[in-house]
Amino acid sequence: MTKTQLLTVENLNVYHGSSHSLQDVSFSIADQPKAILGRNGMGKTTLCSSLMGLTKAASGNIRLQNYDLSSLSVDKRAKTGIGYVPQGRRMFRSLSVIEHLKLVEKKDSDWTIDRAFEIFPRLAERKNNMGDRLSGGEQQMLAIVRALLLDPKLMVMDEPTEGLAPAIVDDVTELLLALQSEGVGLLLVEQNISVALEVAPEILIMVNGRIVDEVSAETLKNDPEMQHNYLGINFAD
Ligand SMILES: Nc1ncnc2c1ncn2[C@@H]1O[C@H](COP(=O)(O)OP(=O)(O)OP(=O)(O)O)[C@@H](O)[C@H]1O
Ligand SMILES: [Mg+2]
C-alpha cells in the first residue's frame, strides 16, 4: 500500500516567454519536510509561485492530499491548505503586526493570534509596531504567522532566512522545527545549506529548472564534492 502523500507534483512545466523555467518537475512530500536547494535563478521561486497558482503552469499536476489543485485559483489553493511565505516577505508598512494578523484570522482555524503569539513571543512584544518598524527577523516571523493563521496543511517557504543575521537565522530554524511538531508539512526553499540540512531529512536539488537529484540530508552533508557540484559551495565554506 502506498503512503498518503501530502503534496504530489507531476511533470510541472512553466515558461517565461520562450524560456522553459520549470521542466517536468516531479516530486512528492509525505510526512517529512523536504528542502529544495539550488543556486540563483534555477527556478525555485517559480516552482513555489506555480504551486500557489500565482504563476501559470503550461502543463502538469499538483495535488494536495486528494485535492487536485492544478486548475484552482490562488485563493482556493490557499483554502485547500497551502500556506505561502514568499521570498522577500512583503509587509504593509502602515499596518501594525496585530492589524496584519487580524486581516487573515479565521474563526474556525486551529491557529489563533493568541496561539501564534505563544509560539512567537517576540512578535507578541511587537504587536503594535508598524510593518516598517520591524527587523528582518521579525518580518519573517510575521510572514510565517500570517500564513499559519490560514491553517495550512503544508507551508511553502521561499528562502525564509535570506538576508537575516546569523542569530536570527537560528531563531527561524527553530521555528521551522517547531512547525513540524505542530504537524504542519513543509516545503522549504533555501540557499542556506545548513538550515536546509537541519530542518529537512530529504533534499531536492534544482538546476536550470529541473530537479536533478533527491538525496538524504545525511548524504549531502557528508559529500563536499556533491555540495560543490550542485550548489557551488567551496569546501572551506
Ligand atoms: N516574471 C518573470 N518573467 C520572466 N522571467 C522570469 C520571471 N520570473 C522568473 N524568471 C526567470 O526564471 C528563471 C528562474 O527564476 P527564479 O526566480 O524562479 O529562480 P530562483 O531559483 O528562485 O532564484 P533565486 O535564488 O535568485 O531566488 C530565471 O531565469 C528568471 O530570470
Ligand atoms: Mg527565488
Side-chain angles (χ1 to χ4, degrees):
M1 212 172 79
T2 51
K3 210 172 0 175
T4 315
Q5 304 290 358
L6 178 57
L7 178 74
T8 312
V9 177
E10 286 169 346
N11 298 313
L12 195 62
N13 284 284
V14 171
Y15 293 83
H16 287 115
S18 60
S19 94
H20 195 174
S21 303
L22 287 188
Q23 306 185 20
D24 282 322
V25 167
S26 300
F27 66 94
S28 58
I29 294 185
D31 47 6
Q32 300 263 47
K34 282 191 186 175
I36 299 189
L37 285 169
R39 300 185 208 196
N40 286 118
M42 290 301 174
K44 305 181 300 297
T45 296
T46 303
L47 172 60
C48 297
S49 132
S50 59
L51 292 179
M52 286 312 295
L54 292 159
T55 296
K56 197 174 158 23
S59 61
N61 272 302
I62 302 164
R63 280 197 309 279
L64 189 72
Q65 293 171 330
N66 293 322
Y67 302 96
D68 184 352
L69 302 186
S70 317
S71 55
L72 297 186
S73 64
V74 179
D75 245 33
K76 290 215 170 101
R77 291 185 201 207
K79 283 199 181 114
T80 310
I82 307 193
Y84 184 34
V85 181
Q87 190 168 13
R89 46 187 181 262
R90 273 163 222 102
M91 296 298 133
F92 297 107
R93 295 154 60 98
S94 57
L95 289 186
S96 67
V97 167
I98 191 84
E99 285 166 341
H100 270 101
L101 298 180
K102 287 207 161 135
L103 275 182
V104 292
E105 191 180 31
K106 291 198 303 184
K107 270 205 206 90
D108 53 350
S109 171
D110 281 352
W111 289 88
T112 59
I113 294 177
D114 285 346
R115 182 166 171 226
F117 279 165
E118 268 170 41
I119 298 182
F120 303 86
R122 189 124 45 97
L123 206 52
E125 288 164 20
R126 306 280 187 279
K127 70 179 181 187
N128 294 314
N129 280 34
M130 294 302 183
D132 62 354
R133 305 303 293 269
L134 297 174
S135 70
E138 289 159 2
Q139 286 180 36
Q140 190 60 59
M141 284 179 205
L142 177 55
I144 293 171
V145 169
R146 200 169 54 174
L148 275 177
L149 290 181
L150 295 169
D151 211 9
K153 301 180 176 94
L154 172 74
M155 287 277 263
V156 175
M157 295 203 197
D158 194 355
E159 301 205 32
T161 66
E162 188 184 26
L164 300 182
I168 310 295
V169 170
D170 292 345
D171 288 349
V172 171
T173 306
E174 253 175 56
L175 301 181
L176 298 181
L177 292 166
L179 280 185
Q180 287 175 54
S181 41
E182 298 291 335
V184 181
L186 177 63
L187 177 64
L188 173 68
V189 165
E190 263 302 337
Q191 286 210 40
N192 183 327
I193 184 170
S194 30
V195 172
L197 293 177
E198 192 170 341
V199 171
E202 287 290 319
I203 311 281
L204 302 157
I205 309 283
M206 192 157 217
V207 178
N208 292 332
R210 287 181 179 275
I211 305 285
V212 298
D213 208 347
E214 175 160 1
V215 292
S216 73
E218 212 46 41
T219 303
L220 187 61
K221 196 184 210 161
N222 296 313
D223 192 336
E225 203 177 327
M226 186 186 271
Q227 293 177 21
H228 179 71
N229 289 342
Y230 285 152
L231 308 165
I233 294 162
N234 288 318
F235 295 3
D237 284 356

